[in-house]
Structure formats: structure tokens, C-alpha cells
């Protein structure tokens, strides 16, 4: 089955700086890669996703890049703000549907004011 | 904001007790899911449903059971709780495709 590794497990960034979280996956059949943000006491929320036919996707201060050859994808947050502090999860899925979503172990991002 | 609700949010219960975690969504989604998440760890799918009267087991084996008698309701039951069941349980629903909405979770502690 799919195995998703996520690094780093914790990340502290000065406010205004950029943060990068990286994930690798093992199943070459995976073609959907979402990122979720989980704030304290809440469920995960989708913040951005990318499909295998695209190398990069951007939404305001958030971007995701995908390297299918190397089987890794990354989340980039620019101009970080205190409200970006949360746990971020990457995931990978080989199908169009959520039953085969495999999650990474999460990155706790802390923005230092 | 997704309209998916979980109760109770926090529960401390003794070993051997039966518990039911409730999950309701008002979006009319056919697909619903239960995930288990230990603190600081990844989410693991334990149950899912494609619609009324449909229930399937997820990748992570679980002693819990689920039912789907109504579209909006997907309760999870543990017949005899044990300390190893201590975890956060997240309910989710989907209108289809890869879009998924999570509830805020139920924290279960079995003592």
C-alpha cells in the first residue's frame, strides 16, 4: 500500500518568513495530493491540493509543488502570519475518492511573532 | 464552513462501558467516514459508507462498528471500551470526488 512520509515534524518560523513542508510517497499510482490544516481542537480543513498532471499550484500565500519522478511534493507558505500556526498534514491517493487517502504524520508549524 | 457535527466532543469512560459517538451532517452527502487519530499522529480510516445501508471497513482494523440508517447520521459504537481505544475520532463527509469535510472530532479517554 501507499506510504507517505512528512518532514519536518515541527517547524518554527519567524513571522513574515517562508515555511516549507515536504512529503514523499511510495505508490507511483497516486495522482491526488491534498494538504490539510488542523487547528487546535478542530478537524482538518483542506487548504490546497494538486493532481499529477500539474507541477505547481498557487493560492495567494500558499503553493504546492509536485515532482512525480522523485515522488515528492511540498507545501510552501510565504509571508507567514500568526494564524498560520497549526498542524499541517499531507496526503496521497491513487483514486478519485477518499477511501484510499493515506496521510502523512503531520507538521506542527509555529509562527513566532 | 461545513455543517458536520460530532457529539460528544470529549468523553471519559470506564473500561467495559458501551459508547456511541454521534456524527451528523446536513449537507445531504452520501459518503461519510470515520478516522482515528492518535495525538500527534496521522489519520487512519476505520469505517466509511457510500450511502444508506452501506458500511465498509477502512485500512485500520477497529473493534468499533458503524451504522447508516439515515443519510445524515453515521454513529460509531464501541460495545466494550478499553484503554487502547483512547484516541480522537474524526467524522467526515463528502459530496463525491476528493472534497471532504471533517467534523471537529470526539476525544475519547478510557480509564
Amino acid at each position: 500500500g501507499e506510504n507517505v512520509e512528512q518532514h519536518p515534524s515541527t517547524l518554527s518560523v519567524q513571522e513574515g518568513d517562508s515555511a516549507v513542508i515536504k512529503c514523499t510517497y511510495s505508490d507511483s499510482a497516486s495522482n491526488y495530493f491534498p494538504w490539510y490544516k488542523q487547528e487546535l481542537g478542530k478537524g482538518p480543513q483542506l487548504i490546497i491540493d494538486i493532481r499529477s498532471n500539474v507541477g505547481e499550484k498557487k493560492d495567494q500565500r500558499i503553493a504546492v509543488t509536485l515532482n512525480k519522478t522523485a515522488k515528492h511534493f511540498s507545501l510552501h507558505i510565504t509571508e507567514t502570519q500568526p494564524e498560520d500556526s497549526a498542524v499541517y498534514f499531507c496526503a496521497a491517493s491513487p483514486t478519485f475518492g477518499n477511501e484510499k487517502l493515506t496521510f502523512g504524520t503531520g507538521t506542527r508549524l509555529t509562527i513566532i511573532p | 464552513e461545513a455543517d458536520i457535527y460530532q457529539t460528544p466532543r470529549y468523553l471519559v469512560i470506564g473500561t467495559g462501558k458501551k459508547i456511541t459517538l454521534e456524527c451528523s451532517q446536513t449537507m445531504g452527502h452520501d459518503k461519510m467516514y470515520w478516522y482515528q487519530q492518535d495525538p500527534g499522529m496521522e489519520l487512519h480510516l476505520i469505517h466509511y459508507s457510500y450511502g444508506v445501508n452501506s458500511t465498509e471497513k477502512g485500512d485500520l482494523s477497529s473493534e468499533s462498528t458503524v451504522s447508516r440508517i439515515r443519510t445524515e447520521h453515521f454513529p460509531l459504537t464501541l460495545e466494550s471500551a478499553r484503554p487502547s481505544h483512547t484516541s480522537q475520532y474524526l467524522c467526515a463527509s463528502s459530496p463525491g470526488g476528493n472534497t471532504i469535510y471533517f467534523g471537529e472530532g470526539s476525544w475519547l479517554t478510557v480509564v
Side-chain angles (χ1 to χ4, degrees):
Chain A
E2 175 68 279
N3 180 48
V4 177
E5 293 189 359
Q6 183 171 347
H7 300 280
S9 56
T10 60
L11 178 62
S12 294
V13 173
Q14 207 72 35
E15 183 178 353
D17 288 349
S18 296
V20 180
I21 303 170
K22 298 181 179 181
C23 287
T24 60
Y25 62 99
S26 60
D27 188 350
S28 56
S30 287
N31 55 23
Y32 175 66
F33 308 93
W35 285 90
Y36 295 89
K37 176 183 181 182
Q38 186 174 24
E39 296 176 335
L40 195 63
K42 296 191 175 182
Q45 276 198 308
L46 178 70
I47 55 170
I48 196 167
D49 57 13
I50 192 168
R51 296 196 183 276
S52 58
N53 58 344
V54 175
E56 183 174 357
K57 185 176 178 181
K58 193 173 181 181
D59 182 3
Q60 299 182 335
R61 296 186 297 108
I62 294 172
V64 57
T65 58
L66 171 66
N67 184 329
K68 281 216 74 176
T69 304
K71 295 198 189 71
H72 67 71
F73 55 113
S74 300
L75 177 71
H76 305 254
I77 306 174
T78 58
E79 300 171 26
T80 53
Q81 299 167 4
E83 53 265 36
D84 294 331
S85 294
V87 178
Y88 291 81
F89 289 94
C90 64
S93 172
T95 64
F96 192 65
N98 301 303
E99 296 76 32
K100 296 297 183 185
L101 262 180
T102 301
F103 287 84
T105 50
T107 297
R108 181 172 298 280
L109 174 64
T110 302
I111 306 302
I112 305 165
Chain B
E1 276 307 302
D3 294 325
I4 180 163
Y5 307 101
Q6 290 186 239
T7 57
R9 292 291 318 280
Y10 303 94
L11 179 64
V12 180
I13 197 166
T15 297
K17 298 291 186 184
K18 177 180 178 179
I19 61 131
T20 295
L21 304 180
E22 303 287 349
C23 177
S24 296
Q25 51 95 5
T26 57
M27 298 171 283
H29 293 168
D30 285 327
K31 293 187 176 183
M32 295 190 74
Y33 310 84
W34 276 103
Y35 289 85
Q36 185 174 341
Q37 182 184 29
D38 291 332
M41 302 296 288
E42 66 267 45
L43 286 75
H44 290 286
L45 182 66
I46 52 174
H47 298 284
Y48 61 98
S49 167
Y50 289 128
V52 172
N53 293 326
S54 155
T55 61
E56 304 286 343
K57 289 191 179 293
D59 293 333
L60 181 67
S61 176
S62 174
E63 294 170 345
S64 59
T65 58
V66 292
S67 62
R68 191 85 184 277
I69 298 172
R70 302 199 315 266
T71 298
E72 61 271 22
H73 198 213
F74 192 39
L76 180 145
T77 298
L78 275 165
E79 289 293 332
S80 179
R82 295 193 277 115
S84 60
H85 296 139
T86 294
S87 189
Q88 180 181 203
Y89 294 84
L90 285 160
C91 181
S93 71
S94 172
N98 289 114
T99 305
I100 186 168
Y101 299 99
F102 286 90
E104 295 193 326
S106 292
W107 284 97
L108 172 65
T109 301
V110 184
V111 297

